[in-house]
Amino acid sequence: MDSIGVGLIGTGYMGKCHATAWGGVKARFASVIRPRLEVLCDANEDVARDCASAFGFLSSTTDWRDLINNPAIDVISITTPNGLHPEIAIAALEAGKHVWCEKPMGLTLGHAADMTKAAEKAALSGVKSQLGYNYVHNPAILHAKKLIDDGAIGRIIHFRGQVDEDYMADPQLPWTWRCKIENGGLGTLGDLTCHLISLAHFLIGDIARVLADQDTVHKERPLPGGKTGETGTVENEDMAQAIIRFGNGTSGLVSSSRVAWGRKSMIRMEIHGDKGMIVFDQERMNELELFQATGDKATRGFTRILTGPEHSPYREFCPAAGHQLGFNELKIIEAAQLLDSIAGKGSNWPDFAAGQKIERVIHGIAISATKGQWVETS
Amino acid sequence: MDSIGVGLIGTGYMGKCHATAWGGVKARFASVIRPRLEVLCDANEDVARDCASAFGFLSSTTDWRDLINNPAIDVISITTPNGLHPEIAIAALEAGKHVWCEKPMGLTLGHAADMTKAAEKAALSGVKSQLGYNYVHNPAILHAKKLIDDGAIGRIIHFRGQVDEDYMADPQLPWTWRCKIENGGLGTLGDLTCHLISLAHFLIGDIARVLADQDTVHKERPLPGGKTGETGTVENEDMAQAIIRFGNGTSGLVSSSRVAWGRKSMIRMEIHGDKGMIVFDQERMNELELFQATGDKATRGFTRILTGPEHSPYREFCPAAGHQLGFNELKIIEAAQLLDSIAGKGSNWPDFAAGQKIERVIHGIAISATKGQWVETS
Amino acid sequence: MDSIGVGLIGTGYMGKCHATAWGGVKARFASVIRPRLEVLCDANEDVARDCASAFGFLSSTTDWRDLINNPAIDVISITTPNGLHPEIAIAALEAGKHVWCEKPMGLTLGHAADMTKAAEKAALSGVKSQLGYNYVHNPAILHAKKLIDDGAIGRIIHFRGQVDEDYMADPQLPWTWRCKIENGGLGTLGDLTCHLISLAHFLIGDIARVLADQDTVHKERPLPGGKTGETGTVENEDMAQAIIRFGNGTSGLVSSSRVAWGRKSMIRMEIHGDKGMIVFDQERMNELELFQATGDKATRGFTRILTGPEHSPYREFCPAAGHQLGFNELKIIEAAQLLDSIAGKGSNWPDFAAGQKIERVIHGIAISATKGQWVETS
Amino acid sequence: MDSIGVGLIGTGYMGKCHATAWGGVKARFASVIRPRLEVLCDANEDVARDCASAFGFLSSTTDWRDLINNPAIDVISITTPNGLHPEIAIAALEAGKHVWCEKPMGLTLGHAADMTKAAEKAALSGVKSQLGYNYVHNPAILHAKKLIDDGAIGRIIHFRGQVDEDYMADPQLPWTWRCKIENGGLGTLGDLTCHLISLAHFLIGDIARVLADQDTVHKERPLPGGKTGETGTVENEDMAQAIIRFGNGTSGLVSSSRVAWGRKSMIRMEIHGDKGMIVFDQERMNELELFQATGDKATRGFTRILTGPEHSPYREFCPAAGHQLGFNELKIIEAAQLLDSIAGKGSNWPDFAAGQKIERVIHGIAISATKGQWVETS
C-alpha cells in the first residue's frame, strides 16, 4: 500500500488535532504509509469547506455517511460529541474502514460493548480500531513502560494516580450539557479519570476491582439563558476517588477532579516498585522521575530524566534532548502507531476491546461510589 | 511562676529532641516560663548519667517513678516505647504533673481511652496533656491554617494527603518488633498515617468515617538471629489507603506507605477549596504552595511561599525569610506552646482528647480495610 | 494574496522544522495566507525527492538557484550550513523573494553586514527577511514581554541569562568541523549564546557593551579517522561568559557552555525589576515564574504560571491551559508571524538588521575575552 | 580538658545563634568538650542580664574587656557590628582566648591583615581562630565537597554562583548605615558575596583573579528622620558580578544582589565537572542535585539527593533522612568543629588566614568594577 485515504469527522479541537496529525505524520515518521487527506465532514457546510482548505483535505461534506460510502477512504477519524461515537464507529467498521475514535467510547457500558463487538468482527478482516488515549504515546510514558518491563523498579507493589483540572472549578460557570446524566453519562470519570485508567492499564495491567466515593461540589449552577437566580442541577460527579486492586492483587489509588483550582492538566502518577519508584506528571510531560534502590546510598535520590532521542520515538521530532515535545505531537505518534498497525507492523493500543476495559473501570467506580462496596471491573 | 521543673523519660532520638527543646526554648521564646532541667530517666544507668550531663539535666535516674514523686518536677516528657506510654502518662497526670507524650498514645484504642480519661480528670485541676504531633507546629502549617480560616481558598471541598517513607522498603531488612501486632499495634498507620490525620484534623476538622484498604507487601522477613532462609511473618500493614469524609461531609483521601522507595519524609497534602488550593510537602517544610482564583487569569498560578518572619513563630528563630527552619525546631515550638498553655496563655493542641480522635481514625482504617465497608470514626 | 509559494533549502533537522511549520501553519492560524509547498532543495537528489514527497512539496531539486529563479516561489527558507547563508540569502533577496533564514547569519560580522544591507534594500520593495530565533516566539516569552511592557515588575534593573547544553561535554567525542575557526566561526557563542542574546534584545533592549572571558575546556579531541592517540585541536570556545550593559545602562550577565553535563536545552533567564522578577527556563518552556512585590507579604512568592489560552498565541494550538506546547510548534508561530508580516499585518522580529545586532554582541564577547576589556557592541 | 568556658559578645540575631549553638552542641555532638556558658556581654545592661538568663549564661557584663580578662573564659564569640571585630578579636587572641568571629572580618583589607597576623601569632600557642561562614558546614555542602574530592564529577571545569536577597529591594526603604562606605565598607559584596566566595574556596580552591562590574540601583533613599523628599545617598553597591579564574585556571562567574525581589536566601551554585555537575541552592538547603555522565543514557538526569544520616554530620541531628536540618543548626556544627579543633581533633575552616583570602576577593571585585580590568586576588 503506497498511500491511504483519510476521512475526518469533526472540526473542533480534537478534529484539528487529528487533521494536523494526519497532515504531519509522514514528515515525522518516514516509514509510515502516506496519508491522503480525502474528505472532511462537519455538520456546518461553511465550516466544513473552510476547514478542508485550511487542513489540506481535498473535499468536504456535511453528511458523515458520505465518508462511509467513499471507496477512496480507508480510515476514518471520529471526533464528534461522544453520543454519536457508537453509530458512526459501528457503521464505519461494518463498511471495512479502519476507525480512530476519540475517547470515551460512548455514554454507556452498552455502547462500549456494541462497539467492541463490531470491532472484533471487523478485526477478522484486518480492520483496525483505535481509541484516542493520547497520553500513553508520550515517549516519557513509553520509557516508563520499558523501565517497568525491564525490572528497573522491581516488582510493582502500588500505584497512585490523580488527574485534575479546573475547568468546572468556578461555581459561577453556567450549567451545560456536561452537567447532565443521560443514559449513564459520567462527569469527571468520563472526562478525566478514563485517561488515568488508560495509563494504569498500559503500564501495569487491568484493574480488577474498585472501592469508591464521589462528590458533586457545585450542586446547582446558574442557567445560561435563565433569569437571575435560576439554576440547573448538576447531575454527575465533580470528583471521584477509588481504591483499586489490579488483577494480580497489587493495590492502588486513583482520584480525579474537574474542580481542582490551579490544575490545568495534572495527570500525576506514582508507580511504587520493590526496587524503586517512577513518578510522572503530565504538566511536565517531558520529564520522568526515577528512584532506584541501587548503588551508593549517599547519592541516591529521584533522578529527573528529560526525554530525548534515547526515548523512542522522540528522535523523530528532534535530534536533541530536552527540547520538549508538545501535547499535539502525541497525536502524531498515535497516528503513526495506527498506520504501522494497518501496515502489519506491530499492534496498536488501545483498540476497542482495551477501551471497553477502561470503561468498565470508570463505570465501576460510579457504581461502587453509590454502594459503598467493592465492585468487580474485569 | 518564674521557672518550671522538667523531667524527661527516654534518651533515644525523641528523648534528645525533647531535651534540646527544653534546653533551647527560653532562648527562642523570651516570654515563656524558664524550664529547669531537673531529672533525666533512662533504664540504663550509664546512659542516664552521661546524657543528663550532655543535655544539661541536674541529675539522672533509672526509675521513672522517681520523676512522678519528685516535687521539683512540674512537667514530664515521655519518649519511651509506645507500650509504656499509658502507665507512665496516667501516673504522671494523677500526680498532678503536666505530661508531654510522644505519639501514638498507646497500642490500642483502650489505651487511648484510659489516657484521655486521666487527662480530662487532671485538666480539672489545670494539668495539661500534650501529644508530640510536631508537624502541626510548623510555621508553614500554621500559616496554612490561617489562610484557610481567613477564607483565602474559600470553602474546603476536598483533602488529599499521603505520608511515605522507605524505612521498611528493603525486603532484606530483618524482622523486628515493629512487624508484630500485639494487642492491636499497627504498622504504617501507627507510625506514619497518624501524623497525616493530625494535620487533617488541625487544618480542616475531624474525620467522621473512612473506607479503606491495606496491604502487606513484604509478608516475610529474614529473622535477625535465624539460620539462612528462616523468616518471621510481618503481621501488620506496610501501606494503607482510605477514602474519608469529614464531619461536614467534605470528601478526601489519605494514604501511607513505609515501603515507598525514595521517600524520606514525604507528608504531602493538597487542600482543595472552592476559591483556591494549598499544597504542602514536609520534605520541603519551609514552603507552601498557594493558588488563588483571583486577579488576572494570565498571571495566576501556584505561588511558592517561603516561610519567614511573616509566618509566626518563624521570627523567633530568624529575622530573615527563607533561611530555613529544621525539623528539630518544630519541637521547640511545641515546648513553647505547652509552656504558654501552662502559664494560662492560650491552649495547646493536640491534648489527649484530640489525640484519641486521631487514634479512632487510624484504627478505623484498619477495621474498614478488613470489612471493605465504611466505618464511623467519630 | 490568496496563497504563497514556498521553497525550502535543506532537509536536516531545521529543514524538517521549516517543512512542518509551512505544512501546518494554516491549520493552526486560520487567518494567514495559505502556503503552497512548491519546491524542496537538497544537494542529494534521492533525499530531495523522498523528502519532497514526505513533506508534501510538489517537486524537488538539487540546485538552490532553481528556487531563486522560480516565479511560483515567493518565500524561501534557508536551512543550509551557516557558511552558505550569505550567498543564498542575498541572491534570494535580490530576486525579490522573502527570506526565512536560520541563525546565525553567517560566519563573520562581514557576512551579517552584507546580508543586512541586502535585506534593507529589498525591504524598500516590501520584501521581508527573518531569522530563525525560535525561542522568542514562545507564548511564555511573549507573555513575559507583555508583563515587562505593562510594568508588572517595574523598571528593569538587571538581567541574568545562561544557555547550556552538553553536546560537546564528552571529552572523547571526536573532533568535527564545529571545532574549527574559519573566517571567524564561533563555538558556543554562535551555537547557543546568540539565542540568549535574541531573548535579551527582545525582552529588554539592545546590549551596548560587554566584558568577557571564554575557555576551551577540551583543547584536543580524537581525530575521527585518525590512528589511536591522534588528536585535532579545538580552535573555538567551549564556554563563554560576559558581564553586559544594555543601552540604558542596565547591568547584566550572560554565560553559556556546550560542555555542561546534564543540560539539554537550558536557557535560563532572570529578569530583575524594581517591583518584581521574572524567571524562565526553556527546559520547562511552558512555565513562567513571576514574583510581584505587591499585596500581603505573607502570601508573596514566585508564582509558576502555566501557559494557556490567556497567553497568545497558545490558543491556536489548544483551548485548554497547561497541555504543553512543544519546541517544534514555536516554528509554526514563527512562520505565522512572517506570513502576517508579508500580508501587511504587523512586523516580524528579528529581521536581518536585528540579527546583525545579535551578531555584534556575540563577536564582541569573543573580542572582549581576548582583550580583557569592555567592548562596545552597538 | 573536661569543659571549656565560653564568653559571648552580642545578643542580636547572630548573638542568639552563637548562644544556642554553645548551649546545644554537647547534646548533639556527644564527644565534644562540654561548653560552660560563663559570661554574656551586651552594651545594654538590662539586655545583657535578661539574655544571660534566657540563654543560660552564668553572668553578664556591659564591657567586653571583662571577658578578655576573665580566666574562666577560654573561647570568645564575637557578634558585634563589623567595625568592632578587629579590636576585640585581636585583644582576645593576644590574651590567649580562642576566637569565633562573625564575618566579614572588618571593614577593610587592612583590618583583615591585622586580624590574620594576630591569629597566626596566637596559633603558635595553639589558639584557634574561626570565622562564621556557616553555610560551608551544611551536610549537603560537606557531601558536595566529598563528591568533588572523590572525582564523582571529574575534573572541575567551571563554577557559577549567585547569592541574592531582597532586603534592600524596596526603593522606599529608608537610608541606613548599611548604605554608607566608611573606610572601605562594602554593600552586597560584604553582606552576601563573601558567603559565596567562602563556598567556592571551600569546594574548589582559591580564586586568583576577577573581572567585575557593580551597580547601585537605588542611588538615593529617604532619610529616616528627614522631611518628606529628603534623601541620603547610597554609597555602596546593590549588586555586583564578576568573572573569575581560580588558581589553576578554572573559569567561573559569581554575582550577587541585595535588591533581588523574591529571593530570600538564594545561594545557588553550579559546579561543572568534565564527568558531571553538582547544583545547590541554600533556599532548599537539604537538597543536592547531582548529574553523573555514567550508565545508561536513557536514565541519566539530575538526581535530587535529600540529606540524611549518610551525609555527615546529619546523623547527629536526626537518624532519619529527609527530615530537614535548619539554618540555625549549621551554627551548632560550626561550634562542634571549633571545639574539636581546640581538642586537637582535626582542623577548623575558615580560620582568619582563610578569611583574609575571601576578603581579598570581595575587595578585588570592587576594585575591578571601578577599573574595568582583571585584578589579582591571591
Side-chain angles (χ1 to χ4, degrees):
Chain A
M1 189 165 21
D2 179 51
S3 69
I4 185 168
V6 174
L8 166 61
I9 309 170
T11 61
Y13 172 51
M14 271 299 142
K16 199 181 278 195
C17 273
H18 279 240
T20 54
W22 286 122
V25 64
K26 180 71 182 174
R28 293 294 172 200
F29 291 84
S31 66
V32 299
I33 314 165
R34 187 168 57 79
R36 300 184 322 273
L37 281 57
E38 294 285 345
V39 188
L40 179 64
C41 172
D42 190 278
N44 179 304
E45 189 173 344
D46 290 345
V47 169
R49 191 189 52 239
D50 292 350
C51 285
S53 165
F55 299 173
F57 279 81
L58 294 179
S59 66
S60 63
T61 177
T62 58
D63 182 358
W64 60 266
R65 290 176 198 280
D66 289 350
L67 276 67
I68 307 288
N69 298 324
N70 187 334
I73 289 179
D74 304 296
V75 55
I76 295 180
S77 277
I78 305 172
T79 70
T80 61
N82 303 338
L84 299 176
H85 289 178
E87 184 182 8
I88 303 177
I90 292 169
L93 289 165
E94 287 177 354
K97 313 293 191 190
H98 308 290
V99 171
W100 183 13
C101 181
E102 272 311 302
K103 47 65 50 183
M105 296 177 80
L107 298 176
T108 67
L109 274 177
H111 291 167
D114 293 344
M115 291 168 76
T116 302
K117 204 168 153 191
E120 283 172 346
K121 190 169 169 201
L124 301 177
S125 323
V127 173
K128 305 294 178 185
S129 64
Q130 181 164 298
L131 287 160
Y133 285 102
N134 26 275
Y135 298 111
V136 301
H137 303 287
N138 183 344
I141 295 296
L142 297 171
H143 188 57
K145 170 80 170 152
K146 184 173 181 307
L147 288 170
I148 292 168
D149 291 349
D150 290 352
I153 58 168
R155 177 170 64 95
I156 303 307
I157 59 173
H158 193 58
F159 174 87
R160 284 206 197 108
Q162 66 188 91
V163 46
D164 295 325
E165 299 199 6
D166 64 3
Y167 61 88
M168 299 279 277
D170 186 346
Q172 293 311 310
L173 276 182
W175 189 95
T176 74
W177 62 269
R178 280 181 182 278
C179 304
K180 200 167 170 56
I181 300 186
E182 199 164 82
N183 303 321
L186 302 170
T188 189
L189 285 162
D191 280 352
L192 302 182
T193 318
C194 59
H195 279 296
L196 183 60
I197 305 304
S198 76
L199 288 159
H201 281 194
F202 179 68
L203 292 170
I204 299 179
D206 294 347
I207 294 169
R209 50 202 173 102
V210 299
L211 182 63
D213 190 21
Q214 63 186 27
D215 197 14
T216 304
V217 171
H218 304 303
K219 294 183 175 61
E220 295 286 322
R221 289 186 177 275
L223 281 177
K227 295 178 192 158
T228 306
E230 280 192 342
T231 60
T233 300
V234 178
E235 299 175 3
N236 52 24
E237 76 290 350
D238 282 334
M239 52 174 70
Q241 35 272 356
I243 290 166
I244 62 172
R245 290 276 182 160
F246 291 88
N248 66 357
T250 301
S251 70
L253 209 53
V254 298
S255 60
S256 49
S257 171
R258 64 185 182 189
V259 295
W261 272 122
R263 302 307 185 193
K264 303 305 177 186
S265 187
M266 187 188 224
I267 307 180
R268 189 179 185 278
M269 294 186 293
E270 292 177 357
I271 300 158
H272 298 226
D274 69 356
K275 292 183 183 162
M277 193 187 294
I278 289 173
V279 181
F280 172 81
D281 182 353
Q282 172 67 21
E283 285 189 2
R284 287 177 171 165
M285 61 172 268
N286 290 281
E287 302 180 15
L288 204 61
E289 284 187 275
L290 172 66
F291 181 93
Q292 290 184 284
T294 52
D296 180 7
K297 284 186 182 179
T299 55
R300 288 185 190 171
F302 279 89
T303 298
R304 181 173 78 101
I305 301 168
L306 264 175
T307 48
E310 308 293 331
H311 311 100
S312 182
Y314 178 103
R315 187 186 296 273
E316 311 304 330
F317 295 89
C318 183
H323 279 55
Q324 315 285 304
L325 299 195
F327 170 86
N328 291 321
E329 290 171 314
L330 303 185
K331 224 64 195 172
I332 297 179
I333 302 174
E334 212 175 323
Q337 182 197 251
L338 178 56
L339 288 170
D340 276 347
S341 176
I342 289 170
K345 295 183 282 188
S347 60
N348 62 311
W349 195 94
D351 61 9
F352 283 9
Q356 187 183 16
K357 290 181 179 177
I358 296 170
E359 304 270 337
R360 277 187 191 135
V361 175
I362 57 173
H363 285 276
I365 290 173
I367 294 164
S368 174
T370 309
K371 292 190 175 177
Q373 292 176 348
W374 284 98
V375 167
E376 302 294 316
T377 56
S378 66
Chain B
M1 190 165 19
D2 180 50
S3 70
I4 185 168
V6 174
L8 166 61
I9 308 170
T11 61
Y13 172 50
M14 271 299 142
K16 200 181 277 196
C17 273
H18 279 240
T20 54
W22 287 123
V25 63
K26 179 72 183 174
R28 292 294 170 200
F29 292 83
S31 66
V32 299
I33 313 166
R34 186 169 57 79
R36 299 184 322 272
L37 281 58
E38 294 284 346
V39 188
L40 179 64
C41 172
D42 191 278
N44 179 304
E45 191 173 344
D46 290 345
V47 168
R49 191 187 53 240
D50 291 350
C51 285
S53 165
F55 298 174
F57 279 81
L58 294 178
S59 67
S60 63
T61 178
T62 59
D63 183 358
W64 59 266
R65 289 176 198 280
D66 290 350
L67 276 67
I68 307 289
N69 298 325
N70 186 334
I73 288 179
D74 304 296
V75 54
I76 294 181
S77 277
I78 305 173
T79 71
T80 62
N82 303 338
L84 299 175
H85 290 178
E87 185 183 9
I88 303 177
I90 292 168
L93 289 165
E94 286 177 353
K97 313 292 191 191
H98 308 290
V99 171
W100 183 13
C101 181
E102 272 311 302
K103 47 65 49 181
M105 295 177 81
L107 299 177
T108 66
L109 273 178
H111 290 166
D114 293 344
M115 290 168 76
T116 302
K117 205 167 152 191
E120 284 173 346
K121 190 170 168 200
L124 300 176
S125 322
V127 173
K128 306 295 179 185
S129 64
Q130 182 163 299
L131 287 160
Y133 284 103
N134 26 275
Y135 298 110
V136 300
H137 303 287
N138 183 343
I141 295 296
L142 297 171
H143 188 57
K145 170 78 169 154
K146 184 174 182 305
L147 289 170
I148 292 167
D149 292 349
D150 290 352
I153 58 168
R155 178 169 64 93
I156 303 307
I157 59 172
H158 193 57
F159 173 88
R160 285 205 196 107
Q162 65 188 92
V163 46
D164 295 326
E165 298 199 8
D166 65 3
Y167 61 88
M168 300 279 276
D170 186 346
Q172 294 311 310
L173 275 182
W175 189 96
T176 74
W177 61 269
R178 281 181 181 276
C179 303
K180 201 167 167 57
I181 300 186
E182 198 164 81
N183 303 319
L186 302 170
T188 189
L189 285 163
D191 280 352
L192 302 182
T193 318
C194 59
H195 279 297
L196 183 59
I197 305 303
S198 76
L199 288 159
H201 280 193
F202 179 69
L203 292 170
I204 298 179
D206 294 346
I207 294 170
R209 51 205 174 99
V210 299
L211 182 62
D213 190 20
Q214 64 186 26
D215 196 14
T216 304
V217 172
H218 304 303
K219 295 184 174 59
E220 296 285 322
R221 288 186 177 275
L223 281 177
K227 295 177 192 161
T228 306
E230 279 193 341
T231 61
T233 300
V234 178
E235 299 175 4
N236 51 26
E237 77 288 351
D238 282 335
M239 52 174 70
Q241 36 271 358
I243 289 166
I244 62 173
R245 289 277 182 159
F246 290 88
N248 66 358
T250 301
S251 71
L253 210 51
V254 299
S255 60
S256 49
S257 171
R258 65 186 182 188
V259 295
W261 271 121
R263 301 307 185 193
K264 303 305 177 185
S265 186
M266 188 188 224
I267 307 180
R268 189 178 185 277
M269 294 186 293
E270 292 177 358
I271 300 158
H272 298 225
D274 69 356
K275 292 183 182 160
M277 193 188 293
I278 289 173
V279 181
F280 172 81
D281 182 351
Q282 172 67 20
E283 285 188 3
R284 285 176 172 165
M285 61 173 267
N286 290 281
E287 302 180 15
L288 203 62
E289 283 186 275
L290 172 66
F291 181 93
Q292 290 184 285
T294 51
D296 180 7
K297 284 186 182 179
T299 55
R300 289 185 190 171
F302 279 88
T303 297
R304 182 174 77 103
I305 301 168
L306 265 175
T307 48
E310 307 292 331
H311 311 100
S312 182
Y314 178 103
R315 187 185 296 273
E316 311 303 330
F317 294 89
C318 183
H323 279 56
Q324 315 284 304
L325 299 195
F327 170 85
N328 292 320
E329 289 172 314
L330 303 184
K331 224 62 193 172
I332 296 179
I333 302 174
E334 213 176 321
Q337 182 198 251
L338 178 56
L339 288 170
D340 277 346
S341 176
I342 289 171
K345 294 183 283 186
S347 61
N348 63 310
W349 196 94
D351 62 8
F352 283 9
Q356 187 184 14
K357 290 180 179 176
I358 297 170
E359 304 270 338
R360 276 186 191 136
V361 175
I362 57 173
H363 286 276
I365 290 173
I367 294 164
S368 173
T370 309
K371 293 189 175 176
Q373 292 177 348
W374 284 97
V375 167
E376 301 294 317
T377 57
S378 67
Chain C
M1 189 163 21
D2 178 53
S3 69
I4 186 167
V6 174
L8 166 60
I9 309 170
T11 61
Y13 171 51
M14 271 300 142
K16 199 181 277 196
C17 273
H18 280 240
T20 53
W22 286 123
V25 64
K26 180 71 182 174
R28 292 294 172 201
F29 292 84
S31 65
V32 299
I33 314 165
R34 187 168 57 81
R36 298 184 323 270
L37 279 58
E38 295 283 346
V39 189
L40 179 65
C41 171
D42 191 277
N44 179 302
E45 190 172 344
D46 290 345
V47 168
R49 191 189 52 241
D50 291 350
C51 285
S53 166
F55 299 173
F57 279 81
L58 294 179
S59 66
S60 64
T61 177
T62 60
D63 182 358
W64 60 265
R65 289 176 199 281
D66 289 350
L67 276 65
I68 308 287
N69 298 325
N70 187 333
I73 289 179
D74 305 296
V75 55
I76 295 180
S77 276
I78 305 172
T79 71
T80 62
N82 304 337
L84 298 175
H85 290 177
E87 185 183 8
I88 302 177
I90 291 168
L93 289 165
E94 287 177 354
K97 313 291 190 191
H98 308 289
V99 172
W100 184 14
C101 182
E102 272 311 301
K103 46 67 46 183
M105 296 177 80
L107 299 176
T108 67
L109 273 178
H111 290 165
D114 293 345
M115 290 167 77
T116 303
K117 204 167 152 192
E120 284 173 345
K121 191 169 167 201
L124 300 176
S125 323
V127 173
K128 305 294 177 184
S129 64
Q130 181 164 299
L131 287 159
Y133 285 103
N134 27 275
Y135 298 110
V136 300
H137 303 286
N138 184 342
I141 294 297
L142 296 171
H143 188 58
K145 171 77 169 154
K146 184 174 182 305
L147 288 170
I148 292 168
D149 292 350
D150 290 352
I153 59 168
R155 178 170 64 94
I156 304 307
I157 60 173
H158 194 57
F159 174 87
R160 285 206 196 107
Q162 65 188 91
V163 46
D164 296 326
E165 298 197 8
D166 64 4
Y167 60 87
M168 299 279 276
D170 186 346
Q172 293 312 310
L173 276 182
W175 188 95
T176 73
W177 61 269
R178 280 182 181 277
C179 303
K180 200 166 168 57
I181 299 186
E182 197 163 83
N183 304 319
L186 302 170
T188 189
L189 285 162
D191 280 352
L192 302 182
T193 318
C194 59
H195 279 297
L196 183 60
I197 306 303
S198 77
L199 288 159
H201 281 194
F202 179 69
L203 292 170
I204 299 180
D206 294 346
I207 294 170
R209 51 204 172 100
V210 298
L211 183 62
D213 190 22
Q214 65 185 26
D215 197 15
T216 304
V217 171
H218 304 303
K219 294 184 174 59
E220 295 286 323
R221 289 187 176 273
L223 281 177
K227 296 177 189 159
T228 306
E230 279 193 342
T231 61
T233 300
V234 178
E235 299 175 4
N236 52 25
E237 76 289 350
D238 282 334
M239 52 174 70
Q241 36 271 359
I243 289 165
I244 62 172
R245 290 277 183 159
F246 290 88
N248 66 357
T250 301
S251 70
L253 210 52
V254 298
S255 60
S256 49
S257 172
R258 65 185 181 189
V259 295
W261 272 122
R263 301 308 185 193
K264 303 304 176 185
S265 186
M266 187 188 224
I267 307 180
R268 189 180 186 276
M269 294 186 292
E270 292 177 358
I271 300 158
H272 298 225
D274 69 357
K275 292 183 183 161
M277 192 186 296
I278 289 172
V279 181
F280 172 81
D281 182 353
Q282 173 67 21
E283 285 188 3
R284 286 177 172 164
M285 61 172 269
N286 290 282
E287 301 180 17
L288 203 62
E289 284 187 276
L290 172 66
F291 181 94
Q292 289 184 284
T294 51
D296 180 6
K297 285 186 182 180
T299 54
R300 288 185 190 171
F302 279 88
T303 298
R304 181 173 78 102
I305 302 168
L306 265 175
T307 48
E310 308 293 332
H311 311 100
S312 180
Y314 178 102
R315 186 185 297 273
E316 311 303 330
F317 294 89
C318 184
H323 278 56
Q324 315 283 305
L325 298 196
F327 171 86
N328 291 321
E329 289 172 314
L330 303 185
K331 223 64 193 171
I332 296 179
I333 303 174
E334 213 176 321
Q337 182 198 251
L338 178 55
L339 288 171
D340 277 346
S341 176
I342 288 170
K345 294 182 283 185
S347 60
N348 62 310
W349 196 95
D351 62 9
F352 283 10
Q356 187 183 16
K357 289 181 179 176
I358 297 169
E359 304 270 338
R360 276 186 191 136
V361 175
I362 58 173
H363 285 277
I365 289 172
I367 295 164
S368 174
T370 309
K371 292 189 175 177
Q373 291 177 347
W374 284 98
V375 167
E376 302 293 318
T377 56
S378 67
Chain D
M1 188 164 21
D2 179 51
S3 69
I4 186 168
V6 174
L8 166 60
I9 308 171
T11 61
Y13 171 52
M14 271 300 141
K16 199 181 279 196
C17 273
H18 279 240
T20 54
W22 285 123
V25 64
K26 181 70 183 174
R28 293 293 171 200
F29 292 84
S31 66
V32 299
I33 314 165
R34 187 168 57 80
R36 298 185 322 271
L37 281 58
E38 294 284 344
V39 189
L40 179 65
C41 171
D42 190 278
N44 179 303
E45 191 173 342
D46 290 346
V47 169
R49 191 189 52 240
D50 290 351
C51 285
S53 165
F55 297 173
F57 279 81
L58 294 179
S59 66
S60 64
T61 177
T62 59
D63 183 358
W64 60 265
R65 289 178 198 280
D66 289 351
L67 276 66
I68 308 289
N69 298 325
N70 186 334
I73 289 178
D74 304 297
V75 55
I76 293 180
S77 276
I78 305 173
T79 70
T80 62
N82 304 338
L84 299 175
H85 289 178
E87 185 183 7
I88 302 177
I90 292 168
L93 289 165
E94 287 177 354
K97 314 292 191 192
H98 308 290
V99 171
W100 183 14
C101 181
E102 272 311 302
K103 46 65 49 182
M105 297 177 80
L107 299 176
T108 67
L109 274 177
H111 290 167
D114 293 344
M115 291 168 75
T116 302
K117 205 168 153 190
E120 283 173 345
K121 192 170 167 199
L124 300 177
S125 323
V127 174
K128 305 294 178 185
S129 65
Q130 181 163 300
L131 287 159
Y133 285 102
N134 26 276
Y135 298 110
V136 300
H137 302 287
N138 183 344
I141 295 295
L142 297 170
H143 188 58
K145 171 78 170 153
K146 185 175 181 305
L147 288 170
I148 292 167
D149 292 350
D150 290 353
I153 58 168
R155 176 170 64 94
I156 303 307
I157 59 172
H158 193 56
F159 174 88
R160 285 207 196 108
Q162 65 188 91
V163 46
D164 295 326
E165 299 198 7
D166 64 3
Y167 61 88
M168 300 280 275
D170 186 347
Q172 293 311 311
L173 275 182
W175 189 95
T176 73
W177 62 268
R178 280 181 182 276
C179 303
K180 199 166 169 57
I181 301 185
E182 198 164 83
N183 304 319
L186 302 170
T188 189
L189 285 162
D191 280 352
L192 302 182
T193 318
C194 58
H195 279 296
L196 182 60
I197 306 303
S198 75
L199 288 159
H201 281 194
F202 179 69
L203 291 170
I204 299 180
D206 294 345
I207 294 169
R209 51 204 172 99
V210 298
L211 182 62
D213 190 20
Q214 65 186 26
D215 197 14
T216 304
V217 171
H218 304 304
K219 295 183 174 60
E220 296 286 323
R221 287 187 177 274
L223 282 177
K227 296 178 191 159
T228 307
E230 280 193 343
T231 61
T233 300
V234 178
E235 299 175 4
N236 52 25
E237 76 290 350
D238 282 334
M239 51 174 71
Q241 36 272 358
I243 290 165
I244 62 173
R245 290 278 183 158
F246 291 87
N248 66 357
T250 301
S251 70
L253 209 51
V254 298
S255 60
S256 48
S257 171
R258 64 185 181 189
V259 295
W261 271 121
R263 301 307 185 195
K264 303 303 177 186
S265 186
M266 187 188 224
I267 308 180
R268 187 179 187 278
M269 294 187 292
E270 291 177 358
I271 300 158
H272 298 225
D274 69 357
K275 292 183 184 160
M277 193 186 296
I278 289 172
V279 181
F280 172 81
D281 183 352
Q282 173 65 23
E283 285 188 2
R284 287 177 171 165
M285 60 172 269
N286 290 281
E287 302 180 15
L288 204 62
E289 283 187 275
L290 172 66
F291 181 93
Q292 289 185 285
T294 51
D296 180 7
K297 284 186 181 179
T299 55
R300 288 185 190 172
F302 279 88
T303 298
R304 182 173 77 102
I305 302 168
L306 265 175
T307 48
E310 308 292 332
H311 312 100
S312 183
Y314 178 102
R315 187 186 297 273
E316 311 303 330
F317 295 88
C318 183
H323 278 56
Q324 314 284 305
L325 299 195
F327 171 86
N328 292 320
E329 290 172 313
L330 303 184
K331 223 65 194 170
I332 297 179
I333 303 174
E334 212 176 322
Q337 182 198 250
L338 178 56
L339 288 170
D340 276 346
S341 176
I342 289 170
K345 294 183 284 188
S347 61
N348 62 311
W349 195 94
D351 62 8
F352 283 10
Q356 188 183 14
K357 289 180 180 177
I358 297 169
E359 304 269 338
R360 276 186 192 136
V361 175
I362 57 173
H363 285 277
I365 290 173
I367 295 164
S368 173
T370 309
K371 292 190 174 174
Q373 291 177 348
W374 284 98
V375 167
E376 302 293 318
T377 56
S378 67

